[in-house]
Amino acid sequence: MSRPFPGGLEHSTHWQNVLQQLKAVIPSAITALVMTFTSWQFAVFVCVVFAFYYLPFVRRLQVYVLIAASLFFYGYGQPELLPLLVVAVVGTWAFLALSIKRSRAWTKYGIVFNLGLLAFFKYKFLFVATPVATGSAVSDFLLNLPLPIGISFFVFHNISLLVDLPKQGRAATVWEIFLYVIFFPQLISGPITQARNFFPQIQEKQISKVPFVEAARWLVLGYFFKLYCANNLNEMTSYMAHPLFETVKTGDKWLLIFLYSFQIYADFFGYSSIAVGLALLFGYRLPDNFNRPYISRSIAEFWRRWHISLSSWLRNYLYIPLGGSRHGPARTYFNLIAVMGLGGLWHGAGLSYLVWGLMHGVLLAVERPFLDKLDSVRSPALQALRAAMVFLIVSMLWIFFKLPDFGQAASYFAGLFTESTVQNPPKIYRTLALAYSLPVILQHLILPHQPQGAWARAIEPFAYGALVALAYAEAGPESAFIYFQF
């Protein structure tokens, strides 16, 4: 099915050429660097590892099988960065051992070590330009290494490890740490699993205890939301990029920010669901990462429902250590804004990410004194209005997430309130937008009212079969998972 261009671009040969050039010269480098969850290579990889993992003579070696599989998965596109992964894990293990056997001060040194790795690879280009030539072969090699995929996630895992295990007085082998940090379903984009929840699960697994039905549900949902919803919406929201958004009518700019809200949810929910399903196949349970965030009635509730594993990590390892809400309102508001600002920078070294995080922090602080009073009002109309306002605000702030260049993001934001004379898109464009957004909308609105009983269980396989058919027959063009870049 051909997709028409929004904003009348189907009538503009010039902009069609611009779009094709952008797609040609900016290929999905991230997709090329990893064995993506949606590739046939990954399907073969999982089948081979699964078949070998549950062989009787392998049972005592299952941890090592998963470590080897995870190293292969990570090194498939970036073998030169495998030593970094090994250094990060072994270094964290060494600091953990010193913290448990000698002094808790080593925990702080271990955290600094991990944050140093993150800062060097993710934020060095705030201070140096690329390509870099220093005259030293070693420094040139290090400075020109690409950003390791998933570094933000495995650094957060390392910090959780350093904080949790010393409190429990629990030692860990280097192999257990390797598995916790690099377990391939969660290695690239989470969910961020806290050490206290993962380590008790490291034990021999039996295929008879695998919840195949539950795993299949998660996998079908994940692939459906990624292939059918996110990939198709990605084709439309490509017009949010500069300079294409300058050719889009004001009303369609608004439409695109809502489509991006649905896309980023479908994309990340899809990844998280696939990760949960894969982990279940190997006997591990990862945390749920989403709980219908777009029905939230406050920004605070949104962050309890969106990227739950990140919100929990920021609360437990940053907000509470900073003092949380224990030192009066002013300190509480500062902590909220500071934590969310750092959370924004965690996503990327750019002013747009910082602004996105700070704005969420400011909104958390502004709404905090009024939440109890608002929550006490039982009016359904008021609650619906609150949810609509939160969705509108969150969607508008996604602009700074979608466009890491702050100037471009500010220009798009301003364009929402400036009338444009560009021709309206044809109606079929809006029809397609609704078709690919509808699953997200329905999931948020009907989940609490799912039918129960024998008849519902009887039709469930057919419903999931329909999702598989749609994902296969109407999958959008291949695109990298959005959170791969973090």
Side-chain angles (χ1 to χ4, degrees), residues 227-293:
L227 298 175
Y228 176 79
C229 299
N231 282 2
N232 281 303
L233 289 172
N234 177 68
E235 195 173 19
M236 298 179 183
T237 60
S238 63
Y239 293 97
M240 292 180 72
H242 184 271
L244 294 178
F245 69 74
E246 294 180 348
T247 70
V248 177
K249 190 175 175 63
T250 302
D252 298 319
K253 286 188 177 75
W254 282 99
L255 174 63
L256 287 173
I257 66 170
F258 297 130
L259 295 187
Y260 186 71
S261 286
F262 297 135
Q263 179 199 342
I264 194 172
Y265 171 81
D267 193 280
F268 200 16
F269 172 79
Y271 180 95
S272 299
S273 299
I274 295 169
V276 170
L278 290 171
L280 287 173
L281 291 178
F282 293 94
Y284 292 85
R285 186 170 292 277
L286 302 181
D288 292 349
N289 219 16
F290 293 93
N291 180 21
R292 299 182 299 138

Side-chain angles (χ1 to χ4, degrees), residues 1-6 228-229 232-233 236 252 255-256 259 262 424-439 441 474:
M1 182 185 298
S2 62
R3 275 77 169 181
F5 294 96
Y228 176 79
C229 299
N232 281 303
L233 289 172
M236 298 179 183
D252 298 319
L255 174 63
L256 287 173
L259 295 187
F262 297 135
N424 275 321
K427 293 182 179 179
I428 189 173
Y429 172 77
R430 299 178 185 277
T431 303
L432 287 172
L434 176 61
Y436 299 133
S437 304
L438 191 60
I441 298 170
E474 190 60 18

